[in-house]
Amino acid sequence: SHLEDGEALTAISEFERFQERWTLHALSPQVSFGICRAYARLSPIPQRDQTYTHRARDACARTAIEFAGDEVAEQADSIQTVMTDKLAQREYEVGRFYQRRDLHDSAVLSFERITDLYPETEWAPRAFMAMYNSYQAIGWEPEAEEAREELIARYPDSDEARNLQADRDGR
């Protein structure tokens, strides 16, 4: 009821207390999912500190693994995907912030974090494209070409890969 009343921190505290006392209770899957949902509810917009988003992603991952086969695992996995996407978006926005200020070295580091940590998100092909653009801006042609090739190889169906492929083919 705390979660439904918008009291996510109180809900988390109560769910965790329940988990500690009754680890093998029949309601354990719902309690674990409750923690996942509560942290997800605390997850802010991408421009803010993402501590709760990380916690939500981790709590949901634990629920999905621990209760695989249960319907809460599917729902938790879905929330985990949303939280992962938000973290990738946050990192992309940081990279774009640096890029707009011509701080391309810092931008590239942010974009590399996306390709390393969040390769399954829609932000990964965007990050490769942004890396390509940053490398082009600072005149690092071999690195730009490497980013282009990796984008085309890993995400051939993305709009970014199709655009770079068309440019390379001279269309």
Side-chain angles (χ1 to χ4, degrees):
S1 69
H2 289 293
L3 187 56
E4 303 311 319
D5 291 340
E7 300 169 354
L9 288 174
T10 304
I12 291 167
S13 176
E14 292 297 323
F15 286 137
E16 287 175 345
R17 186 173 314 149
F18 185 95
Q19 275 186 330
E20 288 172 14
R21 290 185 180 155
W22 298 290
T23 56
L24 300 176
H25 195 278
L27 291 175
S28 290
Q30 289 77 18
V31 169
S32 183
F33 183 58
I35 293 170
C36 162
R37 287 179 38 228
Y39 275 123
R41 196 159 291 165
L42 289 171
S43 174
I45 61 173
Q47 294 79 11
R48 304 277 187 235
D49 175 46
Q50 294 300 307
T51 299
Y52 286 125
T53 307
H54 282 282
R55 289 183 184 170
R57 186 191 60 183
D58 295 346
C60 293
R62 278 192 303 278
T63 301
I65 291 168
E66 191 171 335
F67 300 103
D70 196 312
E71 76 177 61
V72 298
E74 240 178 77
Q75 294 170 331
D77 189 51
S78 178
I79 294 172
Q80 177 190 1
T81 299
V82 171
M83 296 298 107
T84 300
D85 191 65
K86 186 183 282 191
L87 293 169
Q89 179 183 356
R90 164 69 172 161
E91 196 64 46
Y92 183 81
E93 290 175 3
V94 168
R96 289 289 296 134
F97 171 84
Y98 288 129
Q99 218 174 26
R100 285 189 300 274
R101 283 150 185 81
D102 290 327
L103 300 169
H104 295 285
D105 291 344
S106 297
V108 166
L109 292 175
S110 287
F111 299 137
E112 284 177 343
R113 277 192 289 279
I114 295 167
T115 62
D116 291 344
L117 300 174
Y118 313 113
E120 71 284 1
T121 68
E122 68 183 72
W123 300 97
R126 294 178 188 184
F128 274 116
M129 182 68 154
M131 268 193 287
Y132 171 78
N133 291 332
S134 279
Y135 285 138
Q136 288 276 306
I138 55 179
W140 292 11
E141 292 303 321
E143 289 82 357
E145 187 58 31
E146 185 178 321
R148 177 204 315 241
E149 293 303 318
E150 188 129 3
L151 169 59
I152 293 169
R154 289 175 64 180
Y155 305 98
D157 297 330
S158 69
D159 290 339
E160 294 82 4
R162 282 193 288 276
N163 291 338
L164 282 180
Q165 186 69 40
D167 288 347
R168 185 171 66 181
D169 294 344
R171 291 184 224 155

